[in-house]
């Protein structure tokens, strides 16, 4: 409901029409992620539950999140604005190692497990946006977004008995993902002396999606699988209100909804038809 600078397209493209002079925007992000493994047990057929020791790993990262260039202009006696931008929507970067002791029912350590995890890549959008001030109170905007996702996840596991360090068992797993697609953001901004109301609707889209997995165990056995299919990205709705009780204060509230249960991809079956699986838990949609 505010969206009054060169980052506007990431919130509400209609707000770009409020700009009076060209603007460049750069937004950085930094985060610290901690991965904690607590309260786990190892179970197996004919083996009593074994307690895993608690362990943590952390990862620091920083990156350029948003970059844009906006040019306002006048046409047909109305204020317009054009923007080109790049937005890193998801940054998958993570790296960490866990050393996990495993204890028997008497509390004695019998096994050591080592796990290294590496994630890389991101999901980005390249966007062009156009906004116009239809009236003094009403602004509308449109963004065309080209989505590109390219990321991977890998893990390397080793375990060995403390009584026999030569009994090393290992397992390596790698998954890569890639997709491309296009969608649209439609925005409207209504401005009044004491409050603004804004809304943005992001259309759903279908993307070409590629998924590859590779697994290798300590015996050298290799398992490969892959899919070239369609990813269905869900629609999204955001609305907001900004209240201006005084000239110096603005209070804003945003609400958004994305039906992530509708983020699915198609998988072919042996029966000759496709089914949709949820992207997050691989359950049938």
């Amino acid at each position: 409901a505010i969206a009054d600078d060169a980052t506007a397209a990431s919130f509400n493209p209609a707000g770009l029409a409020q700009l009076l002079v060209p603007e460049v925007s750069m937004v950085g992000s930094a985060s610290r992620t901690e991965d904690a493994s607590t309260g786990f047990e190892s179970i197996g057929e004919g083996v009593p539950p074994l307690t895993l020791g608690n362990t943590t790993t952390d990862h620091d990262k920083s990156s350029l999140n948003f970059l844009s260039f906006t040019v306002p202009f006048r046409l047909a006696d109305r204020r317009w604005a054009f923007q080109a931008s790049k937005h890193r929507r998801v940054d998958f970067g993570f790296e960490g190692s866990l050393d996990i002791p495993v204890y028997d029912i008497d509390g004695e350590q019998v096994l050591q497990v080592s796990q290294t995890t590496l994630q890389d890549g991101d999901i980005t959008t390249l966007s062009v946006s156009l906004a116009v001030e239809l009236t003094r109170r009403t602004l509308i905007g449109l963004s065309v977004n080209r989505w590109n996702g390219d990321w991977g996840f890998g893990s390397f596991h080793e375990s060995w008995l403390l009584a026999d360090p030569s009994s090393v068992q290992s397992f390596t797993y790698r998954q890569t993902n890639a997709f491309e697609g296009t969608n649209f953001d439609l925005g409207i901004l209504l401005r009044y002396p004491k409050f603004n109301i804004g809304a943005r609707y992001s259309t759903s889209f279908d993307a070409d999606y590629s998924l590859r997995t590779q697994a290798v165990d300590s015996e050298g056995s290799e398992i490969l699988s892959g899919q070239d299919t369609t990813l269905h990205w869900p629609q999204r709705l955001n609305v907001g209100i900004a209240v201006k009780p005084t000239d110096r204060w603005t209070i804003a509230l945003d609400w958004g909804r994305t039906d992530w249960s509708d983020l699915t991809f198609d998988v072919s079956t042996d029966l000759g038809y496709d089914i949709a699986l949820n992207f997050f838990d691989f359950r049938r949609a």
Side-chain angles (χ1 to χ4, degrees):
I2 300 175
D4 58 359
D5 61 21
T7 66
S10 62
F11 299 99
N12 184 353
L16 292 170
Q18 300 183 96
L19 273 66
L20 301 177
V21 296
E23 287 192 21
V24 173
S25 176
M26 290 186 293
V27 180
S29 65
S31 65
R32 179 181 179 86
T33 303
E34 182 180 276
D35 186 11
S37 298
T38 61
F40 280 88
E41 289 185 338
S42 173
I43 59 174
E45 183 176 354
V47 179
L50 301 177
T51 302
L52 275 63
N54 297 337
T55 184
T56 61
T57 184
D58 52 58
H59 178 72
D60 298 305
K61 64 182 177 183
S62 59
S63 63
L64 180 66
N65 178 264
F66 185 81
L67 176 66
S68 70
F69 179 67
T70 310
V71 180
F73 59 95
R74 294 192 69 87
L75 179 65
D77 202 30
R78 286 186 170 89
R79 285 165 50 181
W80 297 70
F82 170 82
Q83 182 180 90
S85 62
K86 181 177 182 179
H87 187 184
R88 176 174 284 172
R89 306 272 182 157
V90 184
D91 181 359
F92 288 101
F94 178 81
E95 183 175 356
S97 297
L98 298 173
D99 291 313
I100 308 169
V102 182
Y103 302 96
D104 63 16
I105 57 176
D106 297 322
E108 296 291 331
Q109 184 180 354
V110 294
L111 189 71
Q112 181 71 30
V113 177
S114 173
Q115 174 181 302
T116 300
T117 301
L118 175 64
Q119 292 179 190
D120 52 31
D122 54 27
I123 297 176
T124 62
T125 51
L126 295 175
S127 305
V128 291
S129 307
L130 186 66
V132 58
E133 184 184 59
L134 289 181
T135 69
R136 186 170 62 89
R137 297 196 186 283
T138 306
L139 288 67
I140 61 172
L142 170 69
S143 294
V144 182
N145 310 303
R146 182 61 178 175
W147 291 71
N148 182 274
D150 189 357
W151 72 96
F153 168 83
S155 63
F156 176 71
H157 301 257
E158 277 190 334
S159 63
W160 58 92
L161 296 170
L162 292 190
D164 183 9
S166 65
S167 61
V168 176
Q169 298 290 320
S170 65
F171 181 77
T172 302
Y173 177 81
R174 177 68 180 171
Q175 180 190 98
T176 58
N177 304 261
F179 78 90
E180 290 185 340
T182 302
N183 85 319
F184 303 90
D185 288 346
L186 308 173
I188 185 170
L189 183 61
L190 305 176
R191 301 181 297 177
Y192 297 92
K194 290 296 183 180
F195 66 92
N196 289 357
I197 298 174
R200 181 189 69 181
Y201 172 70
S202 299
T203 63
S204 61
F205 65 94
D206 291 341
D208 296 326
Y209 178 48
S210 172
L211 169 65
R212 297 286 183 272
T213 61
Q214 180 184 38
V216 180
D217 62 20
S218 56
E219 304 298 327
S221 301
E222 186 171 350
I223 304 171
L224 294 173
S225 65
Q227 287 278 339
D228 290 306
T229 183
T230 300
L231 179 72
H232 306 284
W233 196 279
Q235 62 186 353
R236 182 177 185 180
L237 177 65
N238 294 79
V239 295
I241 184 170
V243 180
K244 295 168 277 188
T246 71
D247 291 340
R248 295 182 180 275
W249 283 90
T250 300
I251 302 171
L253 175 67
D254 287 343
W255 173 90
R257 178 176 177 86
T258 305
D259 291 323
W260 290 116
S261 59
D262 293 335
L263 180 54
T264 61
F265 62 96
D266 296 331
V267 176
S268 299
T269 68
D270 295 335
L271 299 177
Y273 60 87
D274 293 344
I275 60 173
L277 299 183
N278 182 268
F279 180 82
F280 296 107
D281 58 18
F282 298 103
R283 294 184 178 180
R284 189 166 181 171

